[in-house]
Amino acid sequence: MTQNHDESTSFQLYDHALELLVGGVNSSVRADPQPTPVFVDHGEGADIVDADGNQYCDYIMGYGPLLLGHDLPDSVRESISEAVADGPMYGIPTDVEVKLAEFVIDHVDSVERLRFVNSGTEATAAAIRLARGYTGRDKIIIMQGGYHGGHESVLVEGSLDKRGPSSLGVPETFAEETIPVPFNDGEALKEVFERYGQDIAAVVTEPLLGNCGIVLPIEGYHETIRELCDEYGSLFILDEVITGFRIGGLQCAQGKYDIEPDLTTFAKIIGGGFPVGAIGGRAELMQEFTPTGDVFESGTFNGHPVTMAAGLETLQFAKEHDVYSHVDNLGDQLRSGLVDIVEDYAPEYTVVGTDSMFKLLFTREAPETFDGHCRAGCVQDPDCPRFDLCPKTGADVEAGETDRWKRTFWPAMAERGVLLTPNQLESQFVSYAHTEADIERTLDSYQDVLSMRQ
Ligand SMILES: *Cc1c(COP(=O)(O)O)cnc(C)c1O
């Protein structure tokens, strides 16, 4: 970027957008980039090219949906084109929604029935309504630093004893029914069940925190959730919106970590880049949704044929090619390369992630030594000398140098042609389109920028 920023096309487009769209954007996080967001012209493999012709290696990947990168394989492209040519949608069943359901049910152990919706937000809202309808209870437990989209039941922050809405416009009464607990803390969860057990409809959690840095589950945490839910007759809702068909490959994170949820929510990857969400679970539970049961769920665009075609062909492609081994290997190379770099230049920082998710967290404290440290990202190993200092909850991540990350580190990486998610909390993704050369160049940029810190 050699030109003056304020003469750039992106700057002018953003300036105009500020007069027409709230904050110039349609999703808040897109306004984060400093000094202004770039506008995309088009995608090219693992790269995006902005309106000024600058090319960046993209690790945002749509915030998760783009498993294959920006160029769709022919089979996916053809299937989408055919669906579009047939007519955009009908509000009448099509075969392709049945086929995508069959694919998901064949690969994800806990899922016997599905309902497709249009976003992760819709999926978690419907799953929580189902749990409330099924149990006849109102309270839910969520994780501090977890994310389940933008609806009233999950826009609550705080703790058991002091909690409130996390957004203006959410009535206090929702905060009475939603109890946030620290992730990875079995004792805190037990305490809530001891106090409110008979009122708890569900525990809602991601398999790993994927929207607040990346925090992996400590050994046994999900088993504790399962046991407490069984003991108190509550449902376990696993939010696999970001991890589904990314972590653990086709079996999803629940397969990788041996988690046994009652209900699972999906979105992102299963729509192949189009708006999607889904709720899945045991048939006996799922049939409580209308029309078979009395928990209302409906949607004009549910099971949209273009989305279903894109999702089905994307997952088929992933099944028939080395997609997961490719992205997971590159993820390992990135994370281990980053560990080597922080060892030299920023030993207090923590490399996190697994499979094709990664992030470098600007944590503030470090032990003297890297001996015994996880070599490809923190896996929450209790025997590691850094275990006590590695972030375990959303609060731990937020206590990092978030401003430095956003205001100086991110722009310096963008300047070098590496596009990271524009704050410390959002995960980054490797796609099937990334290459080893991309990873090497990216690591060089990290080293370059981190070696300049004072
Ligand atoms: C992205 C995300 C959501 C929200 O999905 P939208 O499609 O943006 O509504 C919910 N839960 C998790 C875990 C997510 O990562």
Side-chain angles (χ1 to χ4, degrees), residues 63 118-122 124 147-150 206 211 239-242 267-268 276:
Y63 289 92
N118 304 291
S119 68
T121 297
E122 284 182 40
T124 64
Y147 184 67
H148 308 290
E206 300 161 74
N211 293 274
D239 184 356
E240 291 233 44
V241 166
I242 212 166
K268 300 199 168 122
V276 78

Side-chain angles (χ1 to χ4, degrees), residues 97-116:
E97 40 192 311
V98 184
K99 288 209 175 86
L100 180 56
E102 189 170 31
F103 188 101
V104 174
I105 289 165
D106 280 351
H107 290 91
V108 186
D109 271 355
S110 68
V111 177
E112 294 174 357
R113 288 278 190 289
L114 273 176
R115 167 64 54 88
F116 287 108

Side-chain angles (χ1 to χ4, degrees), residues 137-167:
R137 304 170 175 182
D138 288 342
K139 287 201 187 329
I140 60 165
I141 297 174
I142 61 173
M143 302 297 147
Q144 294 161 1
Y147 184 67
H148 308 290
H151 58 89
E152 277 62 9
S153 288
V154 292
L155 291 178
V156 174
E157 63 189 3
S159 61
L160 173 59
D161 294 317
K162 190 175 186 310
R163 55 192 196 267
S166 62
S167 163

